[in-house]
Amino acid sequence: MKPFTYERATSPAEAAAAASRTQGAKFIAGGTNLLDLMKLQIEAPTHLIDVNGIGLDTIEKTEAGGLRIGAFVRNTDLAADKRVRKDYGVLSRAILAGASGQLRNKATTAGNLLQRTRCPYFYDTNQSCNKRKPGSGCAAVGGYSRQLGVIGTSDACIATYPGDMAVAMRALDATVETVKPDGTARAIPLASFHVLPGDTPHIETALEPGELITAVTLPAPLGGSQFYHKVRDRASYAFALVSVAAIIQRDGTGRVAVGGIAPKPWRVEAAEASLPNGSKATASVLLAGAKPTADNAFKLTLVERTLGAVLAQAKG
């Protein structure tokens, strides 16, 4: 781990301003992903801004009937919140599927959204990786790619977004609230928060330099039956090969987002019109344009079958 300086911020505006003053600065809260990356020298921040003391750790009801989740609410508290368990079951289930209890006790809502890919070539600094070192190439293209993306990828990067929580939030149409270094706030729909790699896979989100996440807002409850099915290589904690977050209404309509297949939580609203017609019809639209490798072509079938299991469970 390389040397760095450290400070504790006392407000969101102060934290964002501090980040803009020091090139190479990073925010730290739970640190469950960042510290690992620093030890491997994949991340080498010059300055850490500790945001644990600035509040933003409560869950409040919004005027629209939804919930406003502070950026630094711990995953354990979010998954256990009675309102979340009652009205946003897909979110609670996704968080519980995502990590061990020890990690959930430290990990935060904002940090979870910002966790970086688990592509093995990203973590091996002896391999080329455009996400880790722009312009260096992508060893995953033509390499071992069983865990990697089948859709939304590019010639420069085939990594997947690894999280579970964001997949559920995408199905719920969550919104990310932020504050910029100049003090202005903005709201970013989760649909456009994570960006596709294109020629710049090192740019993973719509955040601007120094911009701090302050909260995530959920709309009013959608009702229906809510599911999060995660398929992985072992029963204990592992990243998803495929995951499906779904909210299914009694008439068979609903919403669905998929994880483990793309550089962002993957939702195609046009595919949801096919939900009453079954998983095959829905998956054909959801995965239109997919470019799997020989290693991970099985994910196309796995999406259809996992979605089929969800729809069968919804019928009871």
Side-chain angles (χ1 to χ4, degrees):
M1 188 179 290
K2 295 182 178 179
F4 56 87
T5 53
Y6 171 89
E7 71 173 290
R8 291 178 178 171
T10 58
S11 71
E14 179 187 314
S20 71
R21 287 195 298 268
T22 307
Q23 188 172 7
K26 288 274 187 181
F27 303 117
I28 186 166
T32 56
N33 190 202
L34 179 59
L35 291 180
D36 283 345
L37 296 173
M38 289 173 66
K39 292 173 184 175
L40 294 169
Q41 300 194 8
I42 295 170
E43 293 272 14
T46 59
H47 185 62
L48 285 184
I49 303 164
D50 188 334
V51 290
N52 284 293
I54 65 175
L56 307 180
D57 56 358
T58 59
I59 303 171
E60 302 168 342
K61 192 170 182 178
T62 67
E63 292 183 359
L67 288 180
R68 186 173 187 271
I69 304 161
F72 306 121
V73 170
R74 305 291 162 170
N75 285 181
T76 292
D77 297 327
L78 181 55
D81 185 275
K82 290 182 179 178
R83 295 162 293 185
V84 174
R85 293 177 62 189
K86 176 178 179 289
D87 295 325
Y88 305 95
V90 64
L91 177 57
S92 182
R93 294 183 181 104
I95 294 171
L96 293 175
S100 67
Q102 292 92 334
L103 283 171
R104 292 198 298 270
N105 288 341
K106 289 296 292 182
T108 64
T109 301
N112 200 319
L113 292 177
L114 295 173
Q115 64 180 309
R116 305 197 68 186
T117 181
R118 264 60 180 183
C119 174
Y121 298 97
F122 173 77
Y123 278 82
D124 185 347
T125 56
N126 293 311
Q127 301 284 346
S128 57
C129 175
N130 289 317
K131 187 180 286 292
R132 173 169 32 79
K133 187 178 180 181
S136 63
C138 176
V141 174
Y144 181 68
S145 54
R146 182 172 185 273
Q147 191 80 24
L148 302 179
V150 298
I151 196 165
T153 56
S154 73
D155 292 340
C157 183
I158 59 172
T160 53
Y161 173 77
D164 295 286
M165 184 189 80
V167 181
M169 286 185 169
R170 180 67 184 91
L172 290 165
D173 264 342
T175 299
V176 180
E177 297 180 8
T178 71
V179 61
K180 295 182 180 182
D182 65 3
T184 59
R186 69 168 173 155
I188 309 170
L190 193 67
S192 53
F193 181 78
H194 298 100
V195 299
L196 296 179
D199 295 329
T200 56
H202 60 291
I203 300 173
E204 297 173 332
T205 72
L207 291 176
E208 297 175 5
E211 191 170 9
L212 176 72
I213 298 173
T214 54
V216 176
T217 302
L218 303 180
L222 298 169
S225 299
Q226 302 193 11
F227 305 91
Y228 189 76
H229 280 213
K230 180 176 179 179
V231 182
R232 45 193 161 186
D233 276 332
R234 62 174 191 265
S236 61
Y237 294 102
F239 295 98
L241 290 170
V242 164
S243 64
V244 170
I247 302 163
I248 308 297
Q249 305 296 336
R250 286 191 174 185
D251 62 0
T253 62
R255 300 181 179 188
V256 61
V258 180
I261 63 169
K264 60 189 291 184
W266 195 255
R267 182 180 172 198
V268 178
E269 280 84 342
E272 293 165 359
S274 298
L275 279 170
N277 300 322
S279 61
K280 186 172 185 178
T282 306
S284 68
V285 181
L286 186 70
L287 299 172
K291 295 180 179 178
T293 69
D295 291 336
N296 64 22
F298 72 94
K299 286 191 175 187
L300 304 184
T301 303
L302 194 56
V303 169
E304 180 186 328
R305 291 182 178 178
T306 307
L307 180 57
V310 168
L311 295 179
Q313 189 174 349
K315 289 180 180 177

